[in-house]
Amino acid sequence: MTDPSKPDAMREHWERTAEQYEAEGDAFTRQFAEEAWRLADLAKGAKILDVATGVGALLLPALRAEAEAHAIDFSSAMVARARRRAAEIDPAAAYRVTQMDGQALTFAQGSFDAAFSIFGVMLFPDPDAGLAEMAHVLRPGGLAIVGAWQSAAGAGPALLFQDAIATLFPDLEFGSPLAGRPPFNTPERMDAAFARAGLAPQAVHHVTRPWATPEADWPRKNAALAFGWSPAWQALGEADRDRVIEAVEARLRTGVQIEATALIGIARKGSSRRNWIGSARA
Ligand SMILES: C[S@@+](CC[C@H](N)C(=O)[O-])C[C@H]1O[C@@H](n2cnc3c(N)ncnc32)[C@H](O)[C@@H]1O
């Protein structure tokens, strides 16, 4: 059994599911990324970083808006996909997508006008370290924009799997990769996380978008993507997983409509020397 609290297990999860993520996950998350891009309201030509880009949910709208967009992800499979998609918009942009741990960015201090992380930094083993890195690479006055699910159990199909497991196996311990970490799922928590990184909170927006109800065989084909990271799922044997999948399929047949709410928080790096030093890592 893999332990999702270990970074290597998490990376393996994203390496394994990158293809499915591009096919099935990206259309859902990019709705939030596009809104985050709009809310940041950056000037054309802004130099931005997308931390934990996945297959480029934020990177692609930024490139289409003619930003000088850079992106990182720790999964080589995600990076390969984000590069290919970036190159379709601007061949040179592919070279600005690199494999890197968001908790140890290698860009110089003050490199970017804005740093985004959409459903990325919230998953890091140490989200505070991820935010501190974003603060470090921002120029004074630059913006940090973070997207996080309102529910600690994730969003969209993950909630269907969670409900099914809770009903079928009420005694099963429910773990989440977000458990025990400083969450960003209320405006107060988001603001406090920004403040710990030395950033001045500006606004937190609640953004709700639909998860398009999929084909009937979606849960069976995509269980690993939707819920494979969950300790509860990993604790189940094949036969019990089958029961969960059947329960999710039955729920979808009722025509259930699913939507998800994310918090999009925006903070600014201070331009005074005091804030500048305060927000930098040691
Ligand atoms: C839920 S996906 C979000 C991807 C994209 N931002 C989006 O909104 O579709 C989470 C991404 O975080 C990446 N990730 C997780 N931990 C990371 C870390 N420590 N450093 C860099 N990337 C990480 C994963 O590889 C995955 O691509």
Side-chain angles (χ1 to χ4, degrees):
M1 182 174 123
T2 53
D3 177 354
S5 68
K6 296 211 174 92
D8 284 348
M10 284 302 282
R11 179 155 45 217
E12 279 163 28
H13 169 77
W14 295 113
E15 296 288 10
R16 251 195 332 269
T17 55
E19 184 179 351
Q20 264 176 309
Y21 195 86
E22 183 173 357
E24 305 289 346
D26 175 68
F28 180 47
T29 59
R30 78 165 168 244
Q31 304 176 92
F32 299 90
E34 283 166 359
E35 185 61 5
W37 176 256
R38 195 189 66 75
L39 289 167
D41 194 24
L42 297 168
K44 219 180 218 180
K47 187 175 173 189
I48 72 107
L49 177 65
D50 183 13
V51 174
T53 188
V55 297
L58 186 285
L59 170 69
L60 301 186
L63 288 172
R64 280 189 211 104
E66 298 179 36
E68 185 195 318
H70 298 241
I72 68 104
D73 199 285
F74 75 170
S75 154
S76 60
M78 291 289 191
V79 165
R81 284 166 192 282
R83 274 191 189 141
R84 173 180 44 72
R85 299 174 91 204
E88 285 163 12
I89 300 170
D90 171 6
Y95 299 100
R96 301 196 298 262
V97 184
T98 41
Q99 188 179 3
M100 201 183 289
D101 188 334
Q103 297 164 118
L105 298 177
T106 59
F107 301 101
Q109 183 171 3
S111 296
F112 295 99
D113 298 313
F116 293 78
S117 191
I118 309 300
F119 313 130
V121 73
M122 68 172 203
L123 293 172
F124 291 3
D126 185 351
D128 276 355
L131 270 187
E133 289 294 282
M134 288 168 69
H136 179 72
V137 301
L138 281 176
R139 66 163 169 80
L143 290 181
I145 301 98
V146 168
W149 299 122
Q150 189 173 41
S151 162
L159 299 180
L160 284 181
F161 277 84
Q162 174 179 274
D163 285 355
I165 291 185
T167 307
L168 289 168
F169 308 102
D171 298 331
L172 197 63
E173 180 97 354
F174 231 99
S176 154
L178 306 180
R181 314 253 172 74
F184 303 125
N185 64 343
T186 67
E188 294 73 24
R189 289 173 180 167
M190 180 80 84
D191 284 353
F194 281 136
R196 285 194 298 277
L199 296 164
Q202 305 290 297
V204 177
H205 302 268
H206 287 82
V207 178
T208 300
R209 293 287 183 275
W211 178 58
T213 311
E215 303 291 307
D217 59 354
W218 197 96
R220 190 164 295 280
K221 284 188 180 155
N222 294 287
L225 173 72
F227 214 56
W229 47 264
S230 161
W233 180 257
Q234 290 164 15
L236 297 176
E238 282 308 310
D240 287 339
R241 287 182 183 178
D242 258 9
R243 291 178 64 199
V244 174
I245 288 170
E246 280 159 19
V248 173
E249 287 171 345
R251 184 93 186 277
L252 283 176
R253 281 196 296 275
T254 67
V256 61
Q257 299 289 309
I258 301 177
E259 53 182 28
T261 298
L263 273 64
I264 302 204
I266 305 181
R268 191 176 291 283
K269 181 164 175 169
S271 46
S272 74
R273 181 150 175 80
R274 195 162 161 271
N275 285 341
W276 172 231
I277 291 168
S279 64
R281 63 184 168 190

